[in-house]
């Protein structure tokens, strides 16, 4: 009986976490206009999964434990505790000025966790449908959701120039450096219509690494060992655009765009 009770509690919490994160993902992909690249950036954020399946699980177990010591542990008291724990994580993680908004969102999804846990019974076959969205998201994680239309790229030893009709996602430009080198780079990016654009830097494993701001829009990267880093040019729904990237070593003259 004890083993069955533990397994049932685990499955109930798993359903609660899956139900709440499913609603979260559906809201987020809808608010992005079903932009798969933006959505992919969200579902590849480990903190999102940790909050729902880690913090959510732990909070639920703590609340169940607290409930054993509260006389007449009614549904109303349980709801108040779930709201409290929804605020608590953001009290720890975020500045106080953002607590009200973030905590309210946290409380809302905490209550969804409770709703899924209490109302979606493991014994019903349709209960397992709550796992569909998380599993689809897991399948999406290794896929590339960048879209390029009318892509015209010219590549040189120390420059890349691109014109495109549509660009949604990111484009990686490899730059090889020797140990101790500092390489400067400059990016000019324009489009006629779109949501946003930006740049970042990846290491050879695809992880974000730091870059230095110099002057007049020039950035730089330092190589502590011989390796390849990637200048990342990003756009969200960019239309009829172009960008140019040049790079040069410390002590060299910045290449002329013309």
């Amino acid at each position: 009986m004890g083993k069955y009770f533990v397994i049932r509690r685990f499955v109930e919490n798993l359903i609660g976490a899956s139900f709440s994160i499913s609603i979260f993902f559906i809201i987020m992909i809808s608010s992005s206009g079903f932009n798969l690249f933006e959505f992919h950036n969200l579902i590849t954020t480990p903190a999102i999964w940790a909050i729902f399946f880690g913090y959510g699980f732990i909070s639920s177990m703590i609340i169940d434990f607290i409930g054993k010591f509260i006389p007449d542990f009614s549904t109303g008291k349980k709801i108040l505790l779930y709201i409290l724990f929804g605020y608590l994580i953001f009290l720890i993680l975020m500045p106080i000025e953002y607590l009200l908004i973030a905590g309210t969102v946290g409380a809302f999804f905490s209550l969804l966790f409770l709703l899924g846990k209490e109302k979606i019974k493991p014994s019903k076959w349709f209960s397992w449908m709550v796992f569909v969205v998380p599993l689809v998201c897991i399948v999406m994680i290794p896929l590339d959701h960048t879209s390029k239309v009318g892509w015209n790229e010219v590549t040189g030893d120390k420059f890349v120039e691109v014109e495109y009709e549509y660009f949604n996602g990111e484009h990686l430009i490899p730059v090889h450096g020797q140990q101790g080198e500092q390489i400067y780079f400059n990016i000019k990016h324009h489009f006629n219509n779109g949501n946003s654009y930006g740049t970042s830097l990846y290491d050879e494993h695809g992880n974000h690494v730091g870059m230095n701001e110099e002057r007049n829009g020039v950035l730089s990267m330092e190589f502590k060992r011989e390796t390849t880093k990637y200048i990342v040019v990003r756009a969200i729904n960019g239309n009829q655009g172009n960008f140019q990237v040049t790079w040069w070593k410390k002590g060299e003259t910045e290449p002329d765009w013309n």
Side-chain angles (χ1 to χ4, degrees):
M1 179 63 70
K3 183 177 180 181
Y4 172 79
F5 177 80
V6 171
I7 294 175
R8 182 178 179 84
R9 283 295 189 187
F10 175 82
V11 173
E12 287 175 350
N13 285 330
L14 190 62
I15 289 175
S18 297
F19 177 71
S20 55
I21 202 173
S22 295
I23 300 299
F24 175 74
F25 284 152
I26 290 170
I27 291 173
M28 295 307 294
I29 194 172
S30 300
S31 63
S32 73
F34 296 92
N35 189 307
L36 292 182
F37 175 75
E38 286 189 296
F39 185 65
H40 182 261
N41 285 341
L42 174 71
I43 63 176
T44 53
T45 304
I48 299 296
W49 298 89
I51 288 174
F52 284 92
F53 286 95
Y55 180 76
F57 258 71
I58 294 172
S59 299
S60 181
M61 290 188 292
I62 292 175
I63 291 171
D64 288 341
F65 178 76
I66 293 174
K68 296 179 180 179
F69 302 95
I70 299 178
D72 187 24
F73 190 48
S74 63
T75 301
K77 293 177 182 178
K78 186 178 294 187
I79 288 174
L80 288 175
L81 283 175
Y82 270 85
I83 291 174
L84 175 62
F85 274 82
Y87 274 89
L88 184 60
I89 185 172
F90 294 104
L91 181 62
I92 298 171
L93 297 178
M94 300 192 70
I96 192 67
E97 58 267 26
Y98 299 111
L99 177 61
L100 181 60
I101 296 176
T104 301
V105 173
F108 172 73
F109 284 101
S110 183
L111 292 177
L112 286 179
F113 188 108
L114 175 62
L115 178 64
K117 174 185 174 182
E118 296 287 330
K119 299 300 181 181
I120 305 177
K121 301 302 181 182
S123 58
K124 304 296 184 179
W125 68 268
F126 55 81
S127 299
W128 300 96
M129 293 179 65
V130 299
F131 298 112
V132 172
V133 172
L135 289 175
V136 168
C137 291
I138 291 172
V139 171
M140 289 176 61
I141 288 176
L143 304 179
D144 182 9
H145 299 281
T146 293
S147 298
K148 300 174 181 177
V149 178
W151 191 267
N152 183 20
E153 180 175 342
V154 178
T155 303
D157 291 337
K158 294 185 178 181
F159 75 91
V160 170
E161 296 187 50
V162 172
E163 292 184 356
Y164 59 83
E165 295 178 15
Y166 177 77
F167 177 29
N168 182 68
E170 58 186 22
H171 181 67
L172 277 60
I173 301 169
V175 178
H176 189 78
Q178 301 293 327
Q179 181 178 1
E181 280 188 336
Q182 184 173 11
I183 295 181
Y184 298 90
F185 60 99
N186 197 351
I187 301 172
K188 302 292 185 182
H189 192 174
H190 306 281
F191 51 60
N192 293 332
N193 184 33
N195 292 346
S196 64
Y197 61 87
T199 186
S200 57
L201 194 65
Y202 289 167
D203 64 13
E204 69 270 31
H205 303 297
N207 300 316
H208 284 276
V209 293
M211 51 188 178
N212 307 312
E213 290 191 24
E214 303 297 335
R215 62 183 185 279
N216 300 326
V218 174
L219 303 167
S220 70
M221 49 185 159
E222 298 177 357
F223 290 80
K224 295 183 179 180
R225 59 183 177 84
E226 182 180 358
T227 186
T228 299
K229 294 186 178 183
Y230 296 85
I231 300 171
V232 183
V233 180
R234 185 177 296 105
I236 303 298
N237 291 328
N239 290 277
Q240 302 301 323
N242 64 81
F243 63 83
Q244 300 107 3
V245 181
T246 56
W247 59 95
W248 64 98
K249 296 180 182 179
K250 184 175 182 179
E252 297 179 342
T253 303
E254 178 180 356
D256 188 350
W257 288 106
N258 300 319

